[in-house]
Amino acid sequence: MAKIVILGAGLTGLSTAYHLEQNGCFDFKLYEKESTVGGLCRSVTDQGFTFDYTGHLLHSSDDYFTQFLTNVVGLNELENIKRRSCIRLHDTYTPFPIQINLHGLPSDVIIDCIEGFMDRPKEKANPKSFYEWALQKFGKGLTNLFFVPYQQKLFAYDITQITASWTGRFVPETSLRAILQGSLVAPKDEDIGYNANFFYPKKGGIQFWINKLAEKITSPINTQYTVEQIDLVNKIVTFSNGDFEPFETLISTLPLDRFLGLVKESAATSITKAGKKLLCNSVINFNLGISKPDISDKHWIYLPEEKYIPYRLGFYTNFSKEMAPENCSSMYGEIAFLKRLPQPSTQLVASAITQMQELFKFESSDIITQRVMHIDRAYVIYDFWREKNLPALHTALVEQNVHSIGRYGAWKYASMQESLLDGKAMAESLLNKNHTPSGYSQPVNVSEIPTQTETPEEQL
Ligand SMILES: Cc1cc2nc3c(=O)[nH]c(=O)nc-3n(C[C@H](O)[C@H](O)[C@H](O)COP(=O)(O)OP(=O)(O)OC[C@H]3O[C@@H](n4cnc5c(N)ncnc54)[C@H](O)[C@@H]3O)c2cc1C
């Protein structure tokens, strides 16, 4: 019996295994349902094109992460890129972030944004929703121009019903001076925000750096092992091939809702029903290989307006020329929908591709290949139920020696950097009990959260 069992060999599971080994611990087993490791950080090749499960860019704001990229991946294997991104609004492009780049937009739009910023409501310590947070930070004009339509399209959820606790480093703040300057002076893409610079593998897509990480793990990685049941009473994981694995400590990086759906628990506990309350969206990721070079000079483009089907587009060949054959371009688009709702029709995806042809001036006959990929769980919805109940849910699991970590295990909005660091913190906390793992949601002051329609038994 392995002392530690890790479920899922995406980035977080691999990082946990790697950091256990780095700390001299080899008494673990790692299981993954797919035949290849990497989870969301995998890449596929198709007729000379390499596509990711939508563009995955390596943003580093942490010394250890940079050190990891340097020592384990090798900086010479990575492009170091300065962002070129923009937002399409009112039939023009303005660089990201909008809150300092209004120049070029219709004058009444700019005036609304400036007025709105000056009249914005006074900041409260705990805004009730993302919508309220955006109003307080940016005012009505910018909120209605960008934050409402974009975030609503991205999350596929009413943003008055989600919290702002995820915003952190993801949404740069602004000032009156910056707004005025960005309205009067020709736009520029400044080094603002967490994604101003990024690394990207020179070849092989995002899978390249995951392979580098996996190569460093000496213990076997058991692929094609799909978890079918987690018996918390007897502490045994059963797989769909009939194998089973007892554990002392379980590290799960499976999506928390799916994990809870597989749990067999004692009559004394009642954690499994929470799985049905966890909300997320799904993303349809369409990838195009195009027989024309340089269809755009951007890395990615935000499309907040409803008339465009995707919420965001990106151009792989601007991350690395190796992503496509010579004289070709490749791009991706992302369409979000609430996971509980039916998937968008293939007709909608076809219409989105037609919109791309119109925007970037290529014909159907220029498309060498198109690959549509479905990201079943993409963005966790930070609804009020999650905010109120998630910390208790994780505590209940930890009491059973189960740590549910990573983007979907912790049920949060996390980058690759954070996922790698979560695996490291987990490994270190297991080997040194004084060290607390990071990455779980922190308990919140529930009195600040508006009550939703919920019955007492829905609370954990
Ligand atoms: C649309 C989108 C764009 C993103 N872009 C970026 C970006 O540009 N930059 C960035 O830093 N981050 C980005 N991310 C975030 C990044 O993808 C995640 O932080 C990271 O991949 C999470 O890794 P993970 O191991 O926690 O989860 P996952 O990658 O989901 O890994 C979980 C693993 O568990 C396995 N598994 C699931 N069910 C079972 C089962 N029943 N049995 C066995 N195994 C199972 C899965 O196959 C998978 O391998 C993006 C995410 C999304 C959705």
Side-chain angles (χ1 to χ4, degrees):
M1 164 175 141
K3 204 169 155 201
I4 302 167
V5 171
I6 306 168
L7 304 180
L11 176 51
T12 310
L14 290 172
S15 171
T16 308
Y18 169 81
H19 288 100
L20 282 172
E21 290 193 353
Q22 290 296 301
N23 286 284
C25 172
F26 293 83
D27 189 9
F28 68 86
K29 291 257 178 82
L30 171 56
Y31 291 99
E32 164 58 47
K33 84 171 156 64
E34 301 292 339
S35 54
T36 50
V37 302
L40 264 187
C41 302
R42 284 174 298 156
S43 308
V44 296
T45 52
D46 188 340
Q47 301 191 49
F49 293 90
T50 305
F51 302 128
D52 296 338
Y53 282 76
T54 171
H56 265 73
L57 314 175
L58 288 157
H59 308 289
S60 181
S61 59
D62 177 89
D63 288 346
Y64 177 79
F65 189 59
T66 307
Q67 192 189 318
F68 182 91
L69 294 178
T70 310
N71 298 336
V72 178
V73 184
L75 286 189
N76 57 333
E77 306 278 10
L78 303 172
E79 303 281 3
N80 186 351
I81 304 169
K82 186 169 161 22
R83 171 189 70 203
R84 291 191 305 273
S85 76
C86 64
I87 301 160
R88 185 160 177 88
L89 274 170
H90 293 277
D91 296 326
T92 186
Y93 292 102
T94 178
F96 175 84
I98 186 92
Q99 49 272 43
I100 57 157
N101 285 310
L102 291 168
H103 187 89
L105 289 168
S107 50
D108 54 336
V109 172
I110 298 179
I111 292 167
D112 280 352
C113 291
I114 296 171
E115 266 182 4
F117 186 78
M118 294 180 74
D119 296 343
R120 69 194 186 282
K122 204 168 167 316
E123 275 194 43
K124 283 196 234 147
N126 286 308
K128 286 192 169 59
S129 66
F130 173 75
Y131 178 66
E132 234 186 71
W133 177 86
L135 278 181
Q136 289 173 22
K137 292 281 176 198
F138 305 109
K140 208 169 168 185
L142 275 163
T143 299
N144 290 342
L145 177 68
F146 180 72
F147 294 100
V148 169
Y150 182 70
Q151 298 301 341
Q152 210 134 277
K153 222 169 153 186
L154 170 81
F155 288 121
Y157 203 70
D158 178 355
I159 59 153
T160 65
Q161 299 301 311
I162 63 172
T163 73
S165 62
W166 55 274
T167 49
R169 69 198 176 94
F170 292 108
V171 186
E173 296 188 15
T174 192
S175 65
L176 182 59
R177 189 181 180 82
I179 295 178
L180 289 174
Q181 185 144 7
S183 305
L184 298 169
V185 181
K188 56 196 172 305
D189 193 343
E190 288 202 353
D191 288 353
I192 287 191
Y194 76 100
N195 57 13
N197 282 79
F198 61 93
F199 294 104
Y200 192 81
K202 285 184 177 165
K203 54 179 189 300
I206 205 62
Q207 175 106 44
F208 176 85
W209 87 279
I210 294 298
N211 288 349
K212 287 278 184 182
L213 166 61
E215 281 165 18
K216 290 278 186 286
I217 299 169
T218 57
S219 306
I221 303 175
N222 303 293
T223 52
Q224 293 179 296
Y225 270 78
T226 303
V227 178
E228 207 169 64
Q229 191 189 65
I230 301 122
D231 180 343
L232 289 186
V233 182
N234 298 302
K235 301 230 174 309
I236 297 174
V237 178
T238 309
F239 300 95
S240 58
N241 61 8
D243 280 1
F244 59 90
E245 185 68 59
F247 63 88
E248 252 178 48
T249 300
L250 188 65
I251 314 294
S252 171
T253 68
L254 269 50
L256 185 55
D257 60 336
R258 180 180 289 166
F259 176 89
L260 292 172
L262 301 174
V263 160
K264 188 176 150 199
E265 62 183 328
S266 85
T269 59
S270 57
I271 47 182
T272 50
K273 64 184 180 207
K276 293 202 172 57
K277 303 291 288 182
L278 295 167
L279 293 178
C280 67
N281 75 4
S282 298
V283 162
I284 298 282
N285 159 227
F286 62 86
N287 299 287
L288 303 176
I290 301 154
S291 66
K292 283 178 84 177
D294 307 320
I295 55 161
S296 167
D297 65 347
K298 300 288 179 257
H299 295 117
W300 68 91
I301 299 174
Y302 301 94
L303 298 177
E305 289 171 332
E306 225 172 291
K307 67 178 175 180
Y308 296 112
I309 297 162
Y311 64 86
R312 188 171 57 186
L313 318 167
F315 302 88
Y316 293 114
T317 29
N318 295 339
F319 307 155
S320 162
K321 288 283 169 225
E322 297 289 326
M323 296 294 281
E326 219 175 317
N327 291 320
C328 293
S329 302
S330 59
M331 68 173 295
Y332 59 88
E334 297 162 294
I335 304 170
F337 61 102
L338 195 64
K339 183 171 153 48
R340 288 179 176 179
L341 299 179
Q343 186 172 326
S345 64
T346 46
Q347 184 47 48
L348 191 81
V349 178
S351 304
I353 294 172
T354 307
Q355 289 184 337
M356 300 306 101
Q357 290 172 221
E358 284 157 12
L359 277 177
F360 304 105
K361 313 278 176 260
F362 60 91
E363 306 295 326
S364 301
S365 56
D366 296 323
I367 301 176
I368 299 175
T369 183
Q370 67 184 56
R371 186 100 174 211
V372 179
M373 314 212 278
H374 183 193
I375 303 174
D376 191 39
R377 289 165 183 80
Y379 290 90
V380 160
I381 310 273
Y382 278 60
D383 66 330
F384 303 133
W385 189 93
R386 175 199 175 280
E387 200 80 351
K388 201 165 174 176
N389 295 289
L390 195 62
L393 178 53
H394 281 300
T395 305
L397 288 171
V398 171
E399 279 164 6
Q400 312 254 358
N401 251 357
V402 174
H403 300 269
S404 183
I405 62 167
R407 180 168 167 120
Y408 302 102
W411 205 252
K412 62 180 182 176
Y413 190 179
S415 65
M416 291 185 280
Q417 171 180 286
E418 201 173 331
S419 300
L420 184 100
L421 295 178
D422 282 355
K424 176 177 184 281
M426 188 73 250
E428 288 170 356
S429 81
L430 287 179
L431 302 174
N432 168 13
K433 296 288 178 201
N434 297 324
H435 187 293
T436 320
S438 63
Y440 293 133
S441 330
Q442 296 305 308
V444 288
N445 180 355
V446 291
S447 65
E448 299 296 338
I449 297 174
T451 39
Q452 275 186 306
T453 45
E454 62 188 354
T455 53
E457 67 274 16
E458 283 171 334
Q459 312 241 358
L460 288 165

